[in-house]
Amino acid sequence: EAQVTQNPRYLITVTGKKLTVTCSQNMNHEYMSWYRQDPGLGLRQIYYSMNVEVTDKGDVPEGYKVSRKEKRNFPLILESPSPNQTSLYFCASRKTGASTEAFFGQGTRLTVV
Amino acid sequence: QKEVEQDPGPLSVPEGAIVSLNCTYSNSAFQYFMWYRQYSRKGPELLMYTYSSGNKEDGRFTAQVDKSSKYISLFIRDSQPSDSATYLCAMKAVGNYGGSQGNLIFGKGTKLSVKP
């Protein structure tokens, strides 16, 4: 089954404790991205990657890091989480070029206290 | 001005009603226009997409694009409680678009509730 898998689904952590949210896709897609979704603000892109070892900032990259060492994996790293990073996070993947269909993971609900 | 504007609602309608959801945009480079549906506690899923102007129909759903007005619509006929979800419009330019290389640009989403 074609899918994007995020882990964990739910996470409560304390301010300053480094964490990683994993994302893996099995569709051999070149393009992967991370979004955060907040009430009233919609989906905002954090980082994206056009291919292995190629990453770039989205609209709200501050406080986040990513890496793309393998085509299927695109982890999101919060080096020092803060309460304003409490949000619902989605990973997505798609083919590059004219493709319009992005496949989203189930989401990770992160709470930073 | 945001690139894509979408009324967040919420929108509540009775079962069987015709629903109209809309987005406006400012970037003339957009050529692909999409509607994603997001159920509660799930990730968005592509519902329909249209290239350039015109209409596209899929069952009870019709997507319309008016590029002259920079306005897109999604119509749902005979709405059902199972259509209750948040609907997000999304748009994409053709080829490279500044530094974002054809990223999908999303509206904020409209939350729809269809009451039995």
Side-chain angles (χ1 to χ4, degrees):
Chain A
E1 180 189 354
Q3 60 185 4
V4 177
T5 303
Q6 290 178 232
N7 280 297
R9 292 288 312 277
Y10 302 91
L11 179 61
I12 301 174
T13 191
V14 296
T15 299
K17 185 176 181 181
K18 181 179 178 180
L19 65 92
T20 299
V21 184
T22 64
C23 175
S24 180
Q25 50 96 2
N26 64 0
M27 295 166 279
N28 201 37
H29 287 164
E30 299 86 5
Y31 184 103
M32 297 185 75
S33 58
W34 276 102
Y35 296 87
R36 60 179 289 175
Q37 189 174 39
D38 302 287
L41 298 176
L43 275 172
R44 294 182 291 167
Q45 192 177 55
I46 303 171
Y47 269 94
Y48 65 96
S49 169
M50 297 293 288
N51 215 322
V52 175
E53 302 291 2
V54 180
T55 62
D56 209 344
K57 296 177 180 178
D59 298 320
V60 288
E62 294 78 20
Y64 304 94
K65 285 176 59 177
V66 293
S67 69
R68 187 91 182 274
K69 292 181 169 41
E70 306 167 279
K71 198 171 188 178
R72 63 183 291 127
N73 295 324
F74 190 45
L76 179 69
I77 302 157
L78 285 73
E79 294 269 3
S80 183
S82 62
N84 65 10
Q85 292 178 297
T86 293
S87 186
L88 179 59
Y89 291 86
F90 287 103
C91 178
S93 75
R94 63 177 173 90
K95 295 179 182 178
T96 50
S99 173
T100 57
E101 184 166 14
F103 293 81
F104 284 81
Q106 291 281 69
T108 296
R109 184 163 293 282
L110 172 66
T111 301
V112 184
V113 297
Chain B
Q1 182 187 6
K2 298 285 187 185
E3 280 193 289
V4 178
E5 300 275 7
Q6 183 176 11
D7 187 337
L11 184 61
S12 182
V13 302
E15 183 174 354
I18 296 174
V19 176
S20 173
L21 304 168
N22 312 293
C23 289
T24 59
Y25 64 96
S26 58
N27 192 336
S28 299
F30 290 144
Q31 293 282 2
Y32 292 94
F33 303 92
M34 294 144 271
W35 288 95
Y36 281 76
R37 180 173 60 193
Q38 183 178 18
Y39 289 114
S40 182
R41 300 191 188 89
K42 301 282 190 181
E45 293 179 308
L46 182 66
L47 184 61
M48 297 180 70
Y49 82 91
T50 309
Y51 175 72
S52 195
S53 284
N55 294 355
K56 188 171 186 178
E57 189 172 320
D58 183 2
R60 296 184 293 108
F61 298 86
T62 300
Q64 287 186 354
V65 175
D66 181 349
K67 291 188 72 180
S68 63
S69 302
K70 295 188 174 67
Y71 188 86
I72 71 169
S73 301
L74 177 71
F75 296 96
I76 307 173
R77 291 185 301 279
D78 187 26
S79 56
Q80 302 295 309
S82 59
D83 296 328
S84 298
T86 297
Y87 291 80
L88 300 98
C89 63
M91 307 181 187
K92 187 169 93 78
V94 174
N96 284 354
Y97 163 47
S100 61
Q101 305 200 34
N103 284 343
L104 300 184
I105 309 298
F106 285 89
K108 292 182 179 180
T110 300
K111 187 171 185 178
L112 171 68
S113 177
V114 181
K115 302 295 186 185

